[in-house]
Amino acid sequence: MITAERKPLEELIEFIRPYKRILLLGCNECVTVCAAGGRKEVGLLASGLQMALLKSGSNIEIRQHTLERQCDPEYVEELVPMLDGAEAIMSMACGCGVQQLAGRFRDKPVFPAVNTKFMGASERQGVWAERCQGCGNCLLGVTGGICPIARCAKQLMNGPCGGSTGGHCEISDDVDCVWQLIWDRLKALGQTERYLDIMPAKDWRPAGGSGPRKIIREDLAE
Amino acid sequence: MEKFEPVIVAFCCHYCAYTAADMAGSQRLPYPANVKIIRVPCSGKVDALHIIKAFEKGADGVYVAGCLEGDCHFKNGNERAARRIAYVKNYLEEIGIESERLEMVMISAGMGQRFAQTATEITEKIRALGPSPIRTATAL
Ligand code: SF4
Ligand code: SF4
C-alpha cells in the first residue's frame, strides 16, 4: 500500500486560514489502512482544525467526505454536487489523489493534508515499513523475494557492503542489512549459487530515470 | 463571572470502572455531579474521535476509566486505551488544548471509594485549570 502521515496541524491551518468554507476529503483505500486519511482521520482532523481555528477567533465550515478512491476519475466525479460553495479542498489521500482533484477542479485550490511516504507493508499493527520503490523491473525473483532497491540504504545490486554487521545495516542498528536477509533466505531455499551471479548495473530508466512513467493498456484504454 | 462548573466526561468500562461507580453509589459515597459517565463495553472501545468530539462539544475535561493493569476483561483493551490516550494528548497539544484535561485511570469493580476519589480529584484539577479554551471561544 501507499503509506502516509498527517502533516502538522500548524501547517494545515496556514493552508486554510484564508477560507470560510472547505471540503475535507478522505480516501477509503491505502490511507485508510495506514490510519492516515480515512473516514476516521477526516473526522479527527475536521474537529482539530475547527477547534484550533476557533481558538484563534476564526470560524470555518468544514464539510467532510470520504471517497472510495481519490485516484480514480469516476469517484472524483461524485464530488461535483458537493463542491458548491466550497472555496478550497483539503485532501487526506496520497499525492496521487490530491493531484487527481487538482486536475479535475481547476478553479479550486487543493491542499494535501498528509505527507505521502512510501510503498510499504504492515509489519505488525501500527507499524509500516518500506518494501518497494517501483523500480519498473522487479528483481525479487533472483533476490529471494527481498528487495535490495527499497531496503538497502545504498541500493547495492551485489551486497552486502563492508558496513554490514551482525545482521544490521551500518546506518542503524534498527535497520536489518537486506543483503544479510537475502543471503539467509537463499540459504534456506538452497539457492546459494544464485549469490555468485554478479548482477549487472541496474538500468534506472524504467525506474523513472527517463521521466514520468505511464502504463497504457491498449485493450482497456478509451 | 459566575462560578465555573466544569463539564467532565468519563468513559467508564462496563466491567470495572462503571461497576465501581455503581459501588460508590450503593456505598453512598458522594462524587461531583460534574462528572458525566458514559458506559462503554471496554476502555479499548473509546476512540480518539469520541474524545476529540467531547472536547469539541464543550467538555472541559475527559477521562477514560478502565480495569486495573492485567485485569481487562478483553485481555488488553485498557493498555490499548492508555496508548491511545497518550496519542490524543499529543493531538490536544497540537490543537492548543492543555493535555492535562485528558486522563486515563484504572479502577477495579470493587473500588467504589477510589472511583469517588478519582472523580473528585479530576474535577478539582479541571476546576483549577479553568474552562476549556474551546468552551471559552464558543461563548464569545
Ligand atoms: S526490485 Fe523494484 S519492483 Fe521489485 S520490489 Fe524492489 S523496487 Fe519494487
Ligand atoms: S549494511 Fe547491508 S543494507 Fe546497509 S548499506 Fe550495506 S549492504 Fe546495504
Side-chain angles (χ1 to χ4, degrees):
Chain A
M1 81 186 92
I2 295 178
T3 60
E5 267 179 332
R6 178 175 57 78
K7 282 177 174 287
L9 210 55
E10 220 182 320
E11 188 180 342
L12 300 180
I13 289 168
E14 286 318 308
F15 284 148
I16 60 169
R17 206 180 276 288
Y19 308 105
K20 286 269 154 277
R21 233 192 232 181
I22 68 157
L23 179 64
L24 182 62
L25 277 182
C27 175
N28 246 338
E29 301 274 355
C30 309
V31 288
T32 292
V33 182
C34 68
R39 198 180 306 269
K40 186 188 286 183
E41 290 74 28
V42 165
L44 276 172
L45 181 58
S47 294
L49 288 171
Q50 201 100 56
M51 287 194 274
L53 282 162
L54 205 61
K55 271 196 68 189
S56 62
S58 44
N59 218 330
I60 184 172
E61 188 190 321
I62 304 178
R63 243 191 264 171
Q64 310 174 27
H65 189 67
T66 297
L67 289 181
E68 197 50 41
R69 246 196 323 275
Q70 264 186 49
C71 53
D72 253 336
E74 60 247 57
Y75 295 110
V76 170
E77 226 37 48
E78 262 176 47
L79 297 173
V80 173
M82 261 172 253
L83 277 167
D84 231 15
E87 297 163 271
I89 307 175
M90 180 168 275
S91 162
M92 300 200 83
C94 74
C96 309
V98 178
Q99 293 182 61
Q100 197 75 339
L101 299 176
R104 173 63 183 84
F105 306 111
R106 291 174 180 272
D107 58 338
K108 301 268 185 227
V110 178
F111 302 105
V114 303
N115 290 323
T116 304
K117 297 293 213 173
F118 50 77
M119 280 192 270
S122 175
E123 279 189 346
R124 55 178 201 276
Q125 166 93 0
V127 180
W128 297 273
E130 184 160 24
R131 287 289 180 266
C132 173
Q133 285 191 1
C135 77
N137 186 8
C138 193
L139 300 167
L140 293 179
V142 289
T143 56
I146 299 170
C147 174
I149 307 296
R151 299 173 67 180
C152 168
K154 295 172 183 159
Q155 299 187 318
L156 293 183
M157 303 296 289
N158 298 283
C161 71
S164 175
T165 315
H168 301 295
C169 172
E170 67 175 345
I171 62 162
S172 159
D173 278 349
D174 298 331
V175 178
D176 291 325
C177 168
V178 79
W179 275 103
Q180 180 73 52
L181 297 180
I182 292 171
W183 170 251
D184 292 344
R185 175 110 168 106
L186 289 178
K187 250 192 341 197
L189 293 171
Q191 296 176 352
T192 46
E193 75 288 350
R194 282 255 166 93
Y195 184 71
L196 298 175
D197 298 337
I198 301 294
M199 276 202 262
K202 189 168 171 65
D203 178 356
W204 290 98
R205 283 171 297 182
S210 52
R213 295 168 284 174
K214 199 178 255 191
I215 296 172
I216 301 175
R217 273 276 304 262
E218 301 289 358
D219 58 327
L220 298 173
E222 300 206 333
Chain B
M1 195 184 147
E2 50 185 278
K3 195 167 168 267
F4 163 58
E5 279 304 333
V7 174
I8 295 166
V9 177
F11 292 99
C12 296
C13 79
H14 169 78
Y15 289 97
C16 292
Y18 191 83
T19 311
D22 260 355
M23 180 73 82
S26 50
Q27 291 175 330
R28 305 283 182 268
L29 297 169
Y31 61 88
N34 306 64
V35 175
K36 319 286 179 211
I37 296 178
I38 297 179
R39 180 167 60 156
V40 288
C42 172
S43 57
K45 173 70 196 159
V46 181
D47 197 273
L49 205 48
H50 300 134
I51 300 170
I52 292 297
K53 284 282 170 200
F55 281 107
E56 193 182 3
K57 292 199 179 300
D60 299 295
V62 173
Y63 65 96
V64 177
C67 307
L68 298 182
E69 226 176 299
D71 276 354
C72 175
H73 278 64
F74 298 96
K75 272 189 167 166
N76 58 354
N78 53 354
E79 290 163 28
R80 281 165 181 259
R83 276 188 277 143
R84 200 167 300 149
I85 298 297
Y87 175 81
V88 178
K89 272 174 170 277
N90 284 334
Y91 190 41
L92 288 177
E93 287 291 341
E94 250 195 300
I95 295 169
I97 300 173
E98 305 91 328
S99 56
E100 301 95 294
R101 293 185 184 275
L102 172 63
E103 289 304 336
M104 170 87 201
V105 296
M106 292 175 172
I107 300 171
S108 83
M111 294 172 153
Q113 176 70 41
R114 162 110 69 118
F115 183 89
Q117 189 191 337
T118 306
T120 309
E121 283 169 9
I122 291 181
T123 304
E124 286 324 307
K125 186 178 83 173
I126 302 295
R127 196 188 298 281
L129 275 170
S132 108
I134 303 310
R135 195 164 152 191
T136 313
T138 326
L140 290 177

